[in-house]
Amino acid sequence: MTEQTVFPTAVLVVAAVTMVAVLARNAFRRAGLPALVAFIGMGVALRLAGDHWEFLGGDVLNIVEFLSRLGVVSLLFRVGLESDLPGLLRNLRRAGIIWAGNVVLSGTAGYVAARYLLGFELIPSLFAATALTATSVGIAVKLWRDAGMLETDAGETMLDVAELDDISGIVLMALLFGLIPVLR
C-alpha cells in the first residue's frame, strides 16, 4: 500500500468500525448484553482481519491501534475526573481493607509467577509484582456505568479501591526504582 492510500484507507476503516459499533451497541442493548462485549469482539475481528487482508495491514492497522489506545486513555481520564475525594475519604476504611488485600495478593502472585514459574531474576520479578498491583478499571467502570451501578455504594467502593491501587502502584514503582541500585 502506498503512502497516498494509507490515510484514506484508515479513515474508511475507522468510519466502518464506528458504524458497526453503533449498530452492535444497539443490538447488544436490545439483547440485554453489555455493548463492551461487542466492542472487544470487533477489536479481535479487526486484528484477525489485518492478518489476512492486505489493505488492513501495516500502517492502517497502526493508525487504528493508536486511535484505540487514545480511547482507552480518554476513558481513564474520564474516570479520574469523576473521582469523588470526599466519597473516598468516607469509604477509606472499607476500600483500604480491599485495597490492601488486592495489593498483597496480586503483588505476591506476580512475584511468584515471574520468579518461580517464568524463572526471572529478582529485579524483573519485583517489577512484575509491582506492575500487577495497579488495577486497570476502564472496562469495569464502563460496565458499571452502563448498568447504572457506578453511583451505588459498591460502585463507589470499586472506584475508591482502583484509585488507591493506582496511587500505591506509582509509589511502589518509585520505591522500586530507588531500591534498584541497592538490590544490584
Side-chain angles (χ1 to χ4, degrees):
M1 180 171 295
T2 67
E3 249 182 71
Q4 294 171 330
T5 60
V6 168
F7 185 72
T9 304
V11 170
L12 181 64
V13 168
V14 170
V17 166
T18 302
M19 289 184 345
V20 170
V22 169
L23 295 172
R25 182 185 67 215
N26 291 333
F28 271 63
R29 278 190 183 158
R30 283 190 204 115
L33 298 169
L36 200 56
V37 174
F39 301 155
I40 292 171
M42 288 173 52
V44 170
L46 193 59
R47 169 56 78 183
L48 292 174
D51 293 340
H52 299 290
W53 292 337
E54 186 178 321
F55 78 93
L56 282 177
D59 293 334
V60 172
L61 205 53
N62 287 339
I63 291 170
V64 173
E65 282 182 26
F66 172 74
L67 292 173
S68 69
R69 288 183 180 150
L70 279 179
V72 170
V73 169
S74 68
L75 182 62
L76 293 175
F77 273 121
R78 181 177 177 189
V79 170
L81 290 173
E82 292 176 356
S83 295
D84 177 21
L85 184 58
L88 172 62
L89 295 176
R90 273 193 316 273
N91 292 328
L92 192 56
R93 177 171 291 191
R94 180 174 39 173
I97 292 168
I98 297 168
W99 161 79
N102 182 35
V103 168
V104 169
L105 289 175
S106 61
T108 301
Y111 179 80
V112 168
R115 184 78 169 160
Y116 300 109
L117 293 177
L118 300 174
F120 289 0
E121 296 295 323
L122 174 66
I123 293 175
S125 297
L126 290 173
F127 272 102
T130 303
L132 289 176
T133 63
T135 304
S136 178
V137 297
I139 293 175
V141 168
K142 177 72 173 136
L143 291 173
W144 284 56
R145 179 179 287 118
D146 289 349
M149 296 182 62
L150 201 56
E151 287 78 27
T152 64
D153 286 341
E156 287 181 15
T157 301
M158 184 266 302
L159 280 176
D160 294 344
V161 170
E163 290 167 357
L164 291 171
D165 278 350
D166 292 343
I167 292 167
S168 67
I170 292 168
V171 170
L172 289 171
M173 194 62 76
L175 286 171
L176 185 57
F177 276 115
L179 288 175
I180 287 176
V182 175
L183 295 174
R184 286 189 176 182

